[in-house]
Amino acid sequence: MWGVEDVARATVRRQGEGLSVVQVADKVAEAERRERECQQELSSPGVDRGFYEGDPAEIAGQWVARHAEWSRVAALMDGQGWPVYSPERDVQGSTWAQERDIQRKGALARRAAWQMEQQDARDELKAQVWLNADTSRRLRAIAACAGLSAEQVLTQLADRVRMDDNGTLAVDAFTPAVN
């Protein structure tokens, strides 16, 4: 859902809160060093990276994004004369955070709607009904008079069915109607 820049921005906002200019400069230097180390590792073929270390190109991309974001925060603090970083005062960072939050909420809403559709699909009953020719003709004639398909008439019939105490099924008289 989020790209490496989004993750870097969220990480910097979370880790940067309350850091001084010197501490942010240290974070910039660390990100720059890690970015350089990752690039060197990528350009060194044949090095055993181990099973748990992850994709070096992905890790390098993460450090490139963090370096860029820490550098942006350092420049912002320098330009605004802030002694300490405050994510709430960072207009651009706050805008990005709000956009990410809107994206997240939208994704969650889409996921919930999809899950509801899946549940509805599991709850639906799809059946084939084989009727003799005479019953089929009568059903089609009723449906044609009502301006419905035979399936729509059967659906309305099924909606009105009730079970009596003795287990028999009954349907009161009704006129099929277009909904």
Side-chain angles (χ1 to χ4, degrees):
M1 179 164 67
W2 285 3
V4 290
E5 291 85 9
D6 294 320
V7 173
R9 291 171 183 154
T11 301
V12 168
R13 281 178 67 82
R14 188 179 60 254
Q15 291 178 356
E17 185 168 9
L19 294 184
S20 69
V21 173
V22 172
Q23 290 171 313
V24 169
D26 290 343
K27 291 287 192 178
V28 171
E30 177 191 9
E32 183 180 20
R33 180 179 53 81
R34 296 279 186 110
E35 178 184 350
R36 189 174 48 251
E37 289 171 355
C38 288
Q39 294 299 332
Q40 289 171 350
E41 186 174 331
L42 282 174
S43 63
S44 303
V47 176
D48 182 23
R49 293 181 175 93
F51 182 72
Y52 296 103
E53 291 186 24
D55 179 13
E58 184 178 323
I59 295 169
Q62 291 170 3
W63 281 109
V64 166
R66 283 189 192 180
H67 181 211
E69 185 61 12
W70 279 118
S71 296
R72 184 192 72 79
V73 168
L76 174 68
M77 289 176 70
D78 184 46
Q80 298 293 322
W82 296 351
V84 174
Y85 178 68
S86 173
E88 294 79 29
R89 293 172 61 191
D90 181 354
V91 175
Q92 183 64 56
S94 295
T95 300
W96 287 332
Q98 289 170 349
E99 289 171 357
R100 282 191 307 275
D101 193 45
I102 289 168
Q103 287 175 343
R104 184 184 62 80
K105 286 178 182 175
L108 291 174
R110 287 188 301 277
R111 172 73 178 175
W114 178 81
Q115 286 177 322
M116 183 59 95
E117 287 176 8
Q118 297 303 306
Q119 182 61 43
D120 288 347
R122 283 190 294 272
D123 291 344
E124 288 178 357
L125 173 65
K126 295 178 183 174
Q128 285 187 337
V129 178
W130 294 93
L131 303 172
N132 64 38
D134 184 47
T135 304
S136 178
R137 277 191 291 276
R138 281 186 291 146
L139 176 62
R140 289 179 199 279
I142 292 167
C145 288
L148 300 169
S149 69
E151 292 81 6
Q152 290 171 315
V153 172
L154 289 174
T155 299
Q156 291 182 20
L157 179 68
D159 286 343
R160 289 168 175 78
V161 143
R162 70 177 188 289
M163 185 179 292
D164 292 337
D165 293 338
N166 63 1
T168 58
L169 299 178
V171 177
D172 292 331
F174 76 97
T175 302
V178 178
N179 294 334

